[in-house]
Amino acid sequence: MFSSTLFRLTPTPCRSSTATYSFSTSTPSSSITRVGVVVIGGGVAGVGIAAALPSKAHTVLLEAAPQLATHSTGRSAAISITSYGGEVVRELTKRSRLSLASPPAHWLCGVPSLLTPRGILEVCDGSNEAMEALEREVAAGMKEVSVDEAMELVPLLNRSRITRAVYEEEAMDIDVDALVSGWGRKYRTEGGRIKLASRVVAITPQFSSNTRAQAPSSYLVTCSDGEVIHADVVVNAAGAWGDEVAKMAGVKPLGLSPLRRSMMIVAAPTGVQVETWPLFGDVSESWYAKPQSGKLVLSPADEEPVEPHDAYTSNEVLAEGVALFERDTVMEVDRVEASWAGLRTFSPDGSPSTGFDPVHTNFFWHCGQGGYGMQTSSALNALAANLLTNQGNALEVAVDLSVAPALSPSRFAVEQ
């Protein structure tokens, strides 16, 4: 039995390179800055919509951490799965694939492609729950494969635990570092300002003389260093903190749900080359593992509701994941080399929330991407910029405005 005392809890994001996304952002304290748009949040949603703005002059992106992509973006499994999510998510994923596979030079990502073939394999133990989950995956587009084919893809699996399996060959790893750092450079070189280590402490609605009984005409955003930013539009890309940002602005929260997802690194079996293996796991989502740098990134696939915070995991959660992994494979885990957690934040119906608030019409929601933020990133951020400015998007990604109502915060019938 694996002992939780062997865990070395190191809540550090697992990234594929050493990029830190740092930018020089010093400004005088206790000053007032007038801008058209302020984007709150420096994850893939915030950086992406900032990079997609047709005009970046007189805009600013705020991130509370000392670098971009500190929370969910930098701690994700970073994989694009075309069968993952609901209909709208799958459509956004499909559209994002085109640009992620061949990013335009003006994205400044520095690589010919942001995608690398990976594949995903899910196995079923024959229980009613697993059988139902497998049928859902087949309906979503995954291909059923034989047990022999599953074993050939991942020889580590415990054959006695497998009755059926499904596979998506088209699943791709996403180069998060290149994507986020490229979009950050694009935004800044085209005139945008990135302000790091800048926590928002207050958002004060401003009313013009003839609209006091209606929506605010602008907002004063007070930063932790004393700078006050007067913005015509606030873009709420704060992830798990999205509802907190809304409340500061006097906007009714959507009811976002931050769910903790834990990850750990374990050594692969001695002498076994795992790099060509797909991401693999239990179809009921009790665990999954992804090869990375000759090791395995293992997750218990937990979805624990939590308050917004700099997430960390626990020995108990990791031990449960290891136990299930050992049950379904022929591998024993000697120790966990590193561990971390991130928050996957979902809207009430599971789809992203992107669009203007139905009451506070200068407050733009860009939250609730859940576990789909990376794989939908280019299409969703391009769509967000189109909706925000009505002037297209600087990512030059074709958008389908017909999906906008399914993403609009208005679908929750917010009543103020």
Side-chain angles (χ1 to χ4, degrees):
M1 181 67 181
F2 186 80
S3 171
S4 63
T5 60
L6 297 178
F7 286 99
R8 178 167 63 88
L9 294 179
T10 53
T12 54
C14 179
R15 295 193 171 108
S16 57
S17 77
T18 57
T20 58
Y21 321 117
S22 296
F23 298 87
S24 174
T25 56
S26 59
T27 58
S29 61
S30 301
S31 61
I32 296 180
T33 305
R34 190 70 171 90
V35 301
V37 177
V38 59
V39 179
I40 301 175
V44 70
V47 178
I49 191 173
L53 292 174
S55 175
K56 299 170 181 64
H58 310 297
T59 69
V60 61
L61 183 152
L62 305 179
E63 168 54 46
Q67 64 186 50
L68 300 177
T70 296
H71 296 287
S72 298
T73 297
R75 307 179 191 189
S76 72
I79 189 165
S80 174
I81 305 170
T82 58
S83 59
Y84 191 36
E87 183 178 350
V88 173
V89 168
R90 294 198 299 271
E91 178 62 28
L92 291 169
T93 298
K94 184 191 307 180
R95 289 180 174 273
S96 292
R97 278 288 184 96
L98 300 175
S99 51
L100 294 177
S102 184
H106 65 81
W107 281 19
L108 304 182
C109 294
V111 293
S113 178
L114 292 160
L115 300 178
T116 305
R118 172 60 60 194
I120 177 172
L121 175 70
E122 296 180 349
V123 295
C124 169
D125 63 8
S127 66
N128 289 338
E129 178 187 4
M131 294 288 278
E132 291 174 1
L134 183 139
E135 294 299 337
R136 288 194 296 271
E137 296 290 33
V138 171
M142 294 191 77
K143 175 187 175 183
E144 185 160 5
V145 296
S146 69
V147 175
D148 285 342
E149 289 173 307
M151 293 300 301
E152 185 176 349
L153 287 165
V154 182
L156 191 68
L157 292 167
N158 181 351
R159 189 185 187 97
S160 67
R161 293 279 305 170
I162 307 173
T163 60
R164 297 172 69 183
V166 289
Y167 181 58
E168 182 186 310
E169 184 178 11
E170 295 78 17
M172 300 276 185
D173 286 342
I174 305 171
D175 190 336
V176 176
D177 288 330
L179 178 62
V180 176
S181 57
W183 279 351
R185 283 191 294 269
K186 175 179 175 61
Y187 174 63
R188 195 159 185 260
T189 57
E190 293 178 4
R193 174 183 165 213
I194 296 176
K195 183 176 170 68
L196 300 175
S198 183
R199 184 170 54 87
V200 174
V201 297
I203 303 176
T204 307
Q206 303 296 294
F207 297 87
S208 61
S209 58
N210 60 344
T211 62
R212 180 165 294 277
Q214 302 175 23
S217 57
S218 61
Y219 296 88
L220 294 180
V221 179
T222 304
C223 303
S224 52
D225 66 354
E227 181 180 8
V228 177
I229 297 171
H230 189 183
D232 293 326
V233 175
V234 168
V235 174
N236 180 6
W241 288 265
D243 277 349
E244 303 303 313
V245 167
K247 285 188 282 188
M248 278 195 281
V251 176
K252 185 175 182 178
L254 293 183
L256 300 172
S257 299
L259 306 178
R260 184 186 64 193
R261 173 59 54 92
S262 302
M263 311 285 280
M264 60 188 120
I265 296 178
V266 300
T270 303
V272 177
Q273 301 298 316
V274 301
E275 277 304 306
T276 60
W277 290 2
L279 183 152
F280 61 101
D282 168 26
V283 73
S284 300
E285 296 191 51
S286 63
W287 66 270
Y288 62 84
K290 177 186 173 184
Q292 180 171 291
S293 303
K295 302 179 186 293
L296 293 175
V297 177
L298 173 62
S299 173
D302 50 324
E303 291 187 320
E304 180 71 22
V306 294
E307 294 298 317
H309 70 295
D310 188 1
Y312 55 90
T313 189
S314 69
N315 286 351
E316 290 76 18
V317 169
L318 298 181
E320 290 173 6
V322 167
L324 293 172
F325 172 78
E326 291 181 330
R327 178 199 66 184
D328 292 340
T329 67
V330 294
M331 173 179 161
E332 291 186 2
V333 176
D334 293 326
R335 73 185 184 96
V336 169
E337 298 183 3
S339 64
W340 65 95
L343 301 182
R344 302 158 80 243
T345 301
F346 291 84
S347 298
D349 62 1
S351 292
S353 293
T354 294
F356 283 104
D357 186 86
V359 174
H360 293 254
T361 51
N362 282 12
F363 187 91
F364 191 92
W365 290 90
H366 195 36
C367 297
Q369 289 84 5
Y372 321 117
M374 293 306 308
Q375 69 178 48
T376 63
S377 56
S378 63
L380 184 57
N381 284 312
L383 174 64
N386 276 61
L387 296 174
L388 180 63
T389 66
N390 200 30
Q391 297 176 7
N393 69 85
L395 296 182
E396 297 181 8
V397 173
V399 301
D400 179 7
L401 291 175
S402 69
V403 304
L407 302 172
S408 172
S410 299
R411 70 190 190 271
F412 301 120
V414 177
E415 296 181 0
Q416 300 274 338

